[in-house]
Amino acid sequence: MEIQTINTTPFDDQRPGTSGLRKKVKVFQAPHYLANFVQSIFNALEGYQGKTLVVGGDGRYYNREALQIILKMAAANGFGKVMVGCGGILSTPAASCVIRKYKTFGGIILSASHNPGGPDDDFGIKYNTCNGGPAPEKITEAIYSQSREIAEYLTMEAADIDLDTIGMQQLGNMSVEIIDPVSDYADMMEQLFDFDAMRALLTSGTFTMRFDAMNAVTGPYAQEILEKRLGAAAGTVLRGEPLADFGGAHPDPNLVHAKELVASMSSNDAPDFGAASDGDGDRNMILGRDFYVTPSDSLAIIAANAAHVSGYAQGLAGVARSMPTSQAIDRVAAALGIDCYETPTGWKFFGNLLDAGKITLCGEESFGTGSNHVREKDGLWAVLFWLNILAVRKQPVADIVHEHWQQYGRDVYTRHDYEGIATEGANALMQQLRARTGELSGQSFGDYTVELADDFSYTDAVDNSVSSNQGIRILFDNGARIVYRLSGTGTEGATLRVYIEQPETNPDKLEQDPQVSLAELIRLSSTIAEIEKFTGRTAADVIT
Ligand code: VG1
Ligand code: CO
């Protein structure tokens, strides 16, 4: 089999965003587009000759074709071995688990996560380093600069690999091992949680749960763990088969996109516990009977209850949240006497803190929760953590959350997304806000006085690298906050995310609908930033 050198020219739009490079499938299918990016990844790395790479994806449209291209390029570039999930499948947390368990050089994950899939929808690719986590900015920027200079890439003329048979195959000098995508991950979950207690709960006859895999990658994982290993009733897992187009659905586990599950949680025969995961299995939504747990609260409650869960009972080193995530976790950290770090949006910023042993748990408001067990957020892990808490505390989800609010207070929280707005308007909105941060400090808007307004900048606590322009924060003197940032995962126009939060300790107001409690702040968020003027929109498209 002969190695081929293919001449190419750079594309100017291959800068990785919040989580890798995400584009329309059609963009990736253009001649050389994917190959250019893959070669740029390899060019940005050193020392991988003869080493092992993990590759897998969420099974979306173009997953298999992309895998064949990557396998041939990895062989031509001198990797010794590639491990691939059978069928081309590996959830994002499972890929992280496999990279760590087999101490590989790194991995490539094919996913556009919660974005829709199909020939006219989205595809994505990202590189993870040997710690199992998303490449830090230093590497993603190196990949980007390689992509601006690339003149050729290496590939190999060879027959396609059979992705559906577990075992070893050969591609030139490189071996390809097709592995069971589920077993390593499921074994790890058994180590972390008390499966006996969870099995007892699920088979007690008095407790039911429903898990919506949203036709995406977690189906096989949830079936193996919940139904097989934990004995949950058959049918506990809904939409359990990964489909290339996610059945036409938007695989984003929130109140808008998982609405059938949400509706079933309010029906007469509602299950006790409901959960869902996203396209690539790293997000989670937690529901009780007629009750929704916000991701920020979920992180805080997981931390507050870690002592009940065997894998975490020895104590937490520290915790971290992304900047726009609510401050609920900060209160728990203060009560536990541990550090709480505030990082920019995106899981890559947690990697150093986890590697250095500074934190055990971390999370984001965007339905992402995780721990030091892998270096990605982990949807099913969060669901199992909750199940373990429920098995120990034997209380309804809603009661656990209410007790939490009574003890710590509640950070009433909402996120308003303005999707598909014009990029120029979105950039202009952010620019004028940035320019006005100085003058905003000290200003009063009704009952709200701005204590500090800035563009968030983060200095990594381990390597001192600085990441600037991570979102405009307006912090009020009563603890309320409004945060503005532009999405880095979209593929069409711009998405403005507005995060709105206010602490509440008055017991009579704890239960109020956040859209009611936060009405004044929501109004302020749009007037301060002049959202209508810059975007033409009078209301958000997605509210979570
Ligand atoms: C969004 C979320 C962010 C998350 C990222 C990747 O990014 O806000 O918290 O880390 O998606 O998640 P952005 O830049 O669009 O706000 V996933 O499940 O898409 O890998
Ligand atoms: Co995801």
Side-chain angles (χ1 to χ4, degrees):
M1 271 173 269
E2 215 176 302
I3 293 177
Q4 299 172 304
T5 303
I6 311 287
N7 292 325
T8 187
T9 50
F11 295 90
D12 63 6
D13 63 347
Q14 297 197 325
R15 180 180 234 147
T18 312
S19 182
L21 185 69
R22 292 189 190 169
K23 299 283 174 196
K24 293 283 171 209
V25 165
K26 294 255 161 28
V27 174
F28 274 107
Q29 284 172 324
H32 309 308
Y33 192 89
L34 174 67
N36 268 22
F37 189 72
V38 172
Q39 188 67 53
S40 300
I41 294 176
F42 296 158
N43 290 349
L45 305 174
E46 262 170 37
Y48 56 75
Q49 299 297 321
K51 301 277 173 60
T52 301
L53 187 71
V54 173
V55 188
D58 61 11
R60 70 177 59 223
Y61 188 86
Y62 200 55
N63 195 51
R64 285 172 174 269
E65 292 83 348
L67 258 161
Q68 299 290 354
I69 293 171
I70 294 167
L71 285 170
K72 286 166 194 160
M73 290 184 66
N77 276 277
F79 275 94
K81 177 179 172 182
V82 174
M83 297 170 81
V84 188
C86 192
I89 293 285
L90 273 177
S91 78
T92 292
S96 186
C97 164
V98 170
I99 293 170
R100 295 170 66 77
K101 179 166 179 179
Y102 299 100
K103 300 190 167 50
T104 72
F105 185 85
I108 290 178
I109 301 177
L110 303 174
S111 169
S113 188
H114 55 289
N115 297 9
D120 297 317
D121 283 304
D122 294 357
F123 190 75
I125 171 168
K126 76 174 179 176
Y127 180 71
N128 281 31
T129 53
C130 64
N131 72 348
E137 274 195 334
K138 195 172 56 166
I139 297 180
T140 56
E141 284 301 300
I143 295 170
Y144 175 57
S145 70
Q146 290 291 338
S147 79
R148 303 302 307 271
E149 292 166 10
I150 191 165
E152 58 182 41
Y153 61 84
L154 301 181
T155 185
M156 184 171 273
E157 217 172 347
D160 279 357
I161 288 289
D162 168 10
L163 297 173
D164 300 300
T165 309
I166 287 179
M168 297 294 259
Q169 296 170 57
Q170 201 65 26
L171 192 54
N173 292 327
M174 184 182 90
S175 51
V176 177
E177 184 179 6
I178 307 294
I179 61 167
D180 175 349
V182 175
S183 56
D184 291 314
Y185 177 83
D187 291 350
M188 176 179 240
M189 293 301 119
E190 277 201 58
Q191 298 300 312
L192 296 173
F193 300 112
D194 187 349
F195 270 40
D196 290 338
M198 292 149 82
R199 193 178 301 109
L201 178 69
L202 285 168
T203 56
S204 63
T206 58
F207 179 93
T208 52
M209 95 172 260
R210 206 162 284 168
F211 178 86
D212 186 355
M214 304 191 84
N215 302 315
V217 79
T218 39
Y221 296 86
Q223 274 156 353
E224 169 69 22
I225 296 171
L226 295 172
E227 296 186 7
K228 275 211 198 132
R229 299 198 188 188
L230 289 171
T236 295
V237 178
L238 309 172
R239 300 197 280 177
E241 194 194 334
L243 302 177
D245 66 349
F246 308 120
H250 201 130
D252 199 355
N254 60 33
L255 297 176
V256 177
H257 296 301
K259 53 176 176 303
E260 293 86 359
L261 174 72
V262 173
S264 79
M265 298 304 294
S266 314
S267 63
N268 287 337
D269 58 346
D272 301 277
F273 181 42
S277 191
D278 72 333
D280 61 331
D282 56 359
R283 296 187 177 204
N284 73 91
M285 177 169 65
I286 300 294
L287 300 166
R289 202 174 270 186
D290 210 9
F291 193 85
Y292 161 66
V293 186
T294 69
S296 296
D297 280 342
S298 174
L299 172 63
I301 291 165
I302 281 176
N305 286 276
H308 293 307
V309 175
S310 55
Y312 300 86
Q314 64 284 12
L316 306 176
V319 293
R321 62 166 169 85
S322 67
M323 182 272 281
T325 302
S326 100
Q327 299 162 94
I329 181 75
D330 303 38
R331 303 180 201 296
V332 176
L336 293 173
I338 56 175
D339 287 333
C340 179
Y341 296 85
E342 184 177 38
T343 59
T345 294
W347 213 259
K348 59 187 167 209
F349 296 103
F350 294 131
N352 276 351
L353 296 170
L354 289 163
D355 285 350
K358 289 183 180 293
I359 59 170
T360 308
L361 299 173
C362 46
E364 297 189 279
E365 49 63 44
S366 54
F367 301 84
T369 330
S371 87
N372 58 356
H373 69 292
V374 289
R375 294 293 180 272
E376 289 279 4
K377 57 185 185 267
D378 190 343
L380 211 41
W381 170 90
V383 175
L384 294 171
F385 207 118
W386 267 92
L387 192 60
N388 198 339
I389 294 171
L390 296 174
V392 175
R393 289 189 52 175
K394 301 186 168 56
Q395 285 173 287
V397 170
D399 290 6
I400 290 175
V401 179
H402 287 139
E403 282 183 19
H404 186 89
W405 290 341
Q406 260 140 30
Q407 185 175 351
Y408 296 94
R410 177 180 183 187
D411 286 86
V412 188
Y413 190 88
T414 188
R415 186 177 101 184
H416 284 215
D417 288 341
Y418 299 77
E419 294 185 338
I421 56 180
T423 308
E424 302 81 60
N427 288 335
L429 181 148
M430 292 301 287
Q431 258 160 33
Q432 58 93 20
L433 261 181
R434 192 171 295 124
R436 282 170 45 218
T437 49
E439 86 194 38
L440 278 171
S441 301
Q443 269 191 47
S444 290
F445 301 89
D447 293 341
Y448 294 89
T449 301
V450 180
E451 192 170 77
L452 174 82
D454 69 359
D455 191 347
F456 182 61
S457 173
Y458 174 67
T459 304
D460 186 289
V462 178
D463 67 14
N464 291 319
S465 58
V466 176
S467 303
S468 319
N469 297 329
Q470 297 297 328
I472 306 290
R473 308 187 288 180
I474 303 182
L475 313 181
F476 298 95
D477 62 2
N478 61 355
R481 303 192 306 166
I482 303 174
V483 173
Y484 304 85
R485 56 179 287 282
L486 298 182
S487 160
T489 56
T491 58
E492 247 175 62
T495 292
L496 170 68
R497 302 201 197 286
V498 186
Y499 311 79
I500 300 152
E501 168 186 3
Q502 181 167 294
E504 181 63 75
T505 46
N506 180 344
D508 298 335
K509 292 194 175 164
L510 285 177
E511 316 288 321
Q512 240 177 31
D513 175 359
Q515 303 307 318
V516 175
S517 308
L518 298 171
E520 176 59 10
L521 264 188
I522 293 170
R523 202 185 56 76
L524 271 182
S525 76
S526 96
T527 51
I528 292 179
E530 299 182 275
I531 291 179
E532 187 176 355
K533 175 175 148 196
F534 285 99
T535 70
R537 301 286 175 84
T538 51
D541 306 88
V542 179
I543 296 179
T544 48

